[in-house]
Structures are given as C-alpha cells and as structure tokens.
Amino acid sequence: MGFIKNYILLLFLILSFNAKASFILLPMDETTQQNHLKAYGITFWALEQDYKVSWLLNYRGGSFLLPDAQEIRKECQIRGVSFEILSDGQTNSILEEISSPSQNMEAVVLEKAPRVAVYTPKGKKPWDDAVTLVLTYAEIPFTAVYDEEVLSDQLLLYDWLHLHHEDFSGQYGKFFGAYRNAPWYIEQKKESEALAAKLGFTKVSEAKLAVSKKIRDFVIGGGFMFAMCSATDSFDIALSAEGVDICEPMFDGDESEPNYQSKIDYSKTFAFKDFILERRPTIYEFSDIDMTTKRKIPMDKDYFTLMEYSAKWDPIPTMLCQNHTQLVKGFMGQTTAFDADLIKSNVLIMGENRYNGEARYIHGTKGKGMFTFFGGHDPEDYQHLVGDAPTVLDLHPNSPGYRLILNNVLFPAAKKKKQKT
C-alpha cells in the first residue's frame, strides 16, 4: 500500500512539474483583453528587459507570447493588462496550431526594443499628436526631435521616426485663410522664421525641404518612418517640389514660380503621383491627394476595412494590420484619406474605403527602409478642431485605430523575413 501511495505522489509531482507555467500570453482579441493599448507597452517593456517575445500574428487578434516571470506578471497587474498563464504543453499546442500550413498565422520573434523618435515642435501639447498621446499612455519611451536635431544627423540614433502633423511645404499648415489674425498663428509663423534663419535658411520652405531630405535619407538608409494627417502629403509635396517655389507671398515674402505645377517631379515622392497642388492660399488643402472635401460619407457610416495578408509569406503588412476587428471607424484630419488613384503602384493599400475610392492606411519601402502613412488626426476624435480638449485614452483602451499606430511602433523590433508579394 505504501508503494502505491508513493507512486501516486510521484506521479502527482511529475504532472505538477509538467503543468508548471512557463509562458505568459497577452491575448489581443476583442473579448478578453481589457487594455489593448497598454499591452503594447508591456511588450515593449519586456523587450527592454531583454526578454524574448513572440508576436502571434492572426492568433486571437495578434497576441503576444512572453516568458513567465514574476516582474512581467506584476507589470501587467499594475498597468491593467489582461494576461493568461500557459504551461509548456499549452504553449507548444498553440505554436503547433500557428505553424500549420492550413492556418493563416505566424509566430514572429521580436528581438530588440526600437529606439523611437517623434518629430515635433518644441512646446507642442501632447494631445496635438495622436502618436505622442498613445506612446505616453502605453508607457513607451520616445525622444522628441525637431529641425535642429534632424539637420545635425541625430536621426542616426533612432530606428523609428514619427512625423508630427507637420507642413513640410513651408505654408504654415495652410491655416492662413481661417487663422491669419490668430495670436497663435502669428507666433508660430514668427518662431518658424526665426528657427529657419538660425539654421542658415532665408525661407521656412527651404529649411523644411532640407529636413525632408534628411528624413528621406534616414528611410533609405534603413529607418522606419510613420506619418499621419498633413505630414503625409506635405512631405511628398516638399520632395517633389525641390528647387521650385510653390509658396505664395504671405508664406515666404515673394511670388510663387510661374507654372510651378508642370515642374513637380513625382519620381522623388514616397507614395503619391500625378497630384495637383492647391494654389489658393486661403484653401485649407495642399493638393487633391486628400479626400476631405471629396467625401460623401455620414459620420455613422464612416469606416474603413483592413486588408488581410498571408502571415507566413507577408509578415510585415500582416503585423501592421493586426487588430481585433477588420472594420475600423474613420476620423477626419487636414489630410483625412488619400485618393487611391494618386497612389503609386508599388505602395500597399492596407486600409481602404472602397465605396469612396479612398485609402486610409498605406505602406511602402524606400531603399533599405520602410514608411507608413495613416490619414486623419485622432482615431478617437472624429473631427478634431483647433483648441479641442485632448482625447482621454483611459476611455478608449481598446481603440482599433490607436492599435494601428502601435503596430507601427513595435514592428521594427521583429526579426525580418523577405516579403514575397
């Protein structure tokens, strides 16, 4: 009888040992995760602590698999992130399911936390930029840089760069029509001119072109660049108008160049082609790339669809589209969305409203690097206006739109595979 008791005890100990937790799963599906946004922050933090992390593409909304450690559990509890404890056997079962050729899933190893920079003016309010807002909320560290840092080649210190809602064309955001007499506009113009002069330029447009070219070189050299709203089309416009004066007198003190439209060089752009610039200084548009004035979609029906890619063959766009829903609600901005007919054929349209012929979320390569453009200003503020109160992300911890931003922040950490399509 004693032998049997000892055998049962030994068997129990073996089974208990085998069932010992070895991994932590951060589920990213719609019903389980109570704070999707902070889950990215936990993953980033774990990478900073040199933990090995796997991104389980298309598995429960793009879940994260981390080693089981007490400090990771504690961080999840502190930040309000849902997690599940897995045994080796449970983990192996999940990984076997993911590796099956019949499943559109993949496990991508995240190697190292990327060094993150945000191109933003000094003293800018954090809620003026959705990326700065969500990075702060998710507790992902970043460094603010602006023209001086860019022109002194400090981008070499970073892996990932976000462009604030900047006007790289030197037209002060095309706010002249509505805000030319506003104190903030007058002060902003004065500060921009003073900074350009300090950097050795006679015009703001010349300084912004120099900055745009440095950012272009950062991407070509292997950097990752993400832009939203007006930073998307104005960046391409600045590159395409190199050596051409497209600014009217109220912006740079002299007349624009005659017939400047015919001198635009589309071969220099990242994403857009064949666009027509908006010459009128009182119109709040840079070109016909933007769909804002061409939209006929009521707010309650304004959604865009995320594309589905092969996780095993095209992991990069798959990573960028990870979400707990394929249908994401739209939101406005100075540049709300992109006319699909004006996007270069080698650029992926990852999110679109096909009914309106517009792309919301696009991605491409340039040299050794990559870029992503996301239309709109704030995913949880449908029509953000100057002076509006900041978005409180505690009210939107599961925002699909903000998840797309954080996908871009995290994907440079992935061990790269060659894109097949």
Side-chain angles (χ1 to χ4, degrees):
M1 181 67 71
F3 172 78
I4 294 175
K5 285 183 178 179
N6 289 337
Y7 177 80
I8 292 173
L9 179 61
L10 178 63
L11 183 61
F12 175 77
L13 291 173
I14 291 173
L15 291 174
S16 297
F17 178 79
N18 287 337
K20 181 179 182 296
S22 294
F23 291 91
I24 291 175
L25 181 77
L26 305 185
M28 297 295 278
D29 53 310
E30 186 170 10
T31 57
T32 309
Q33 182 53 254
Q34 62 181 336
N35 197 315
H36 287 91
L37 305 186
K38 285 188 179 289
Y40 287 90
I42 291 288
T43 303
F44 197 98
W45 174 86
L47 290 172
E48 289 186 307
Q49 309 308 310
D50 295 323
Y51 285 108
K52 182 180 178 181
V53 179
S54 291
W55 197 348
L56 308 183
L57 306 184
N58 292 345
Y59 177 79
R60 294 179 64 181
S63 300
F64 299 106
L65 185 67
L66 299 81
D68 183 27
Q70 192 59 42
E71 61 176 343
I72 295 178
R73 294 191 190 193
K74 184 178 179 181
E75 282 296 321
C76 289
Q77 291 165 345
I78 291 172
R79 302 190 193 191
V81 172
S82 306
F83 64 97
E84 299 172 9
I85 306 301
L86 304 178
S87 67
D88 280 339
Q90 290 172 311
T91 303
N92 289 335
S93 177
I94 291 171
L95 294 177
E96 284 178 13
E97 177 189 355
I98 289 171
S99 65
S100 170
S102 65
Q103 298 292 337
N104 184 20
M105 302 178 186
E106 181 65 299
V108 173
V109 175
L110 303 182
E111 298 181 301
K112 184 180 178 183
R115 297 162 297 178
V116 176
V118 175
Y119 175 87
T120 184
K122 302 294 188 292
K124 204 71 174 178
K125 302 295 184 185
W127 56 81
D128 286 338
D129 176 30
V131 175
T132 307
L133 190 67
V134 76
L135 288 174
T136 302
Y137 180 75
E139 300 179 56
I140 294 175
F142 65 92
T143 302
V145 299
Y146 204 50
D147 293 350
E148 290 176 279
E149 290 82 5
V150 172
L151 293 177
S152 60
D153 292 322
Q154 291 187 37
L155 291 185
L156 295 173
L157 301 173
Y158 305 98
D159 305 301
W160 188 91
L161 173 68
H162 165 59
L163 306 183
H164 176 83
H165 305 277
E166 186 68 44
D167 173 8
F168 290 96
S169 72
Q171 299 175 89
Y172 307 104
K174 295 297 288 286
F175 284 116
F176 178 79
Y179 295 103
R180 74 188 83 176
N181 296 318
W184 66 263
Y185 178 83
I186 295 169
E187 183 62 24
Q188 186 182 84
K189 186 173 185 293
K190 185 188 301 182
E191 290 176 356
S192 297
E193 290 169 348
L195 179 57
K198 178 182 176 182
L199 295 171
F201 299 95
T202 58
K203 296 181 179 182
V204 171
S205 58
E206 293 172 353
K208 292 302 179 186
L209 172 61
V211 169
S212 300
K213 291 167 69 175
K214 285 286 188 180
I215 294 172
R216 175 201 64 193
D217 294 344
F218 163 77
V219 177
I220 290 174
F224 301 91
M225 186 258 275
F226 177 81
M228 287 185 72
C229 202
S230 59
T232 58
D233 49 352
S234 74
F235 177 77
D236 260 11
I237 287 169
L239 292 177
S240 70
E242 181 179 1
V244 182
D245 187 347
I246 64 172
C247 295
E248 301 303 328
M250 65 287 299
F251 300 129
D252 68 351
D254 58 24
E255 296 292 336
S256 62
E257 205 165 308
N259 301 315
Y260 66 63
Q261 180 64 52
S262 64
K263 302 172 185 177
I264 297 301
D265 187 349
Y266 303 112
S267 69
K268 294 181 178 179
T269 65
F270 276 31
F272 304 115
K273 63 176 183 178
D274 303 334
F275 49 84
I276 305 299
L277 299 180
E278 175 54 67
R279 297 191 66 115
R280 293 168 293 178
T282 56
I283 302 300
Y284 187 55
E285 285 285 4
F286 295 105
S287 73
D288 60 348
I289 293 171
D290 178 37
M291 293 292 292
T292 300
T293 60
K294 296 181 276 187
R295 309 183 86 230
K296 300 176 182 178
I297 306 172
M299 178 178 171
D300 61 338
K301 296 182 179 179
D302 191 358
Y303 287 84
F304 63 95
T305 305
L306 295 176
M307 306 299 285
E308 185 174 358
Y309 297 93
S310 169
K312 291 179 172 62
W313 291 90
D314 291 311
I316 290 174
T318 303
M319 279 187 273
L320 296 178
C321 290
Q322 289 301 286
N323 226 309
H324 48 282
T325 176
Q326 271 194 288
L327 199 62
V328 183
K329 66 179 181 180
F331 51 100
M332 305 286 279
Q334 180 174 14
T335 302
T336 298
F338 318 117
D339 189 324
D341 291 334
L342 302 180
I343 296 174
K344 292 183 174 181
S345 60
N346 63 329
V347 174
L348 285 177
I349 296 177
M350 301 188 299
E352 65 177 358
N353 184 315
R354 190 169 295 180
Y355 171 79
N356 208 49
E358 65 183 34
R360 293 297 307 249
Y361 186 47
I362 64 178
H363 175 75
T365 59
K366 192 72 172 179
K368 296 179 181 178
M370 301 180 189
F371 65 91
T372 302
F373 290 169
F374 192 12
H377 186 94
D378 185 325
E380 295 299 336
D381 184 352
Y382 186 74
Q383 194 169 9
H384 185 85
L385 301 174
V386 174
D388 277 1
T391 297
V392 179
L393 284 181
D394 271 328
L395 302 176
H396 310 283
N398 311 107
S399 168
Y402 272 104
R403 276 200 67 179
L404 295 179
I405 296 173
L406 291 174
N407 286 342
N408 282 270
V409 174
L410 201 55
F411 101 96
K415 185 175 182 180
K416 304 303 182 297
K417 291 185 178 181
K418 185 176 177 59
Q419 191 169 318
K420 302 296 192 303
T421 60

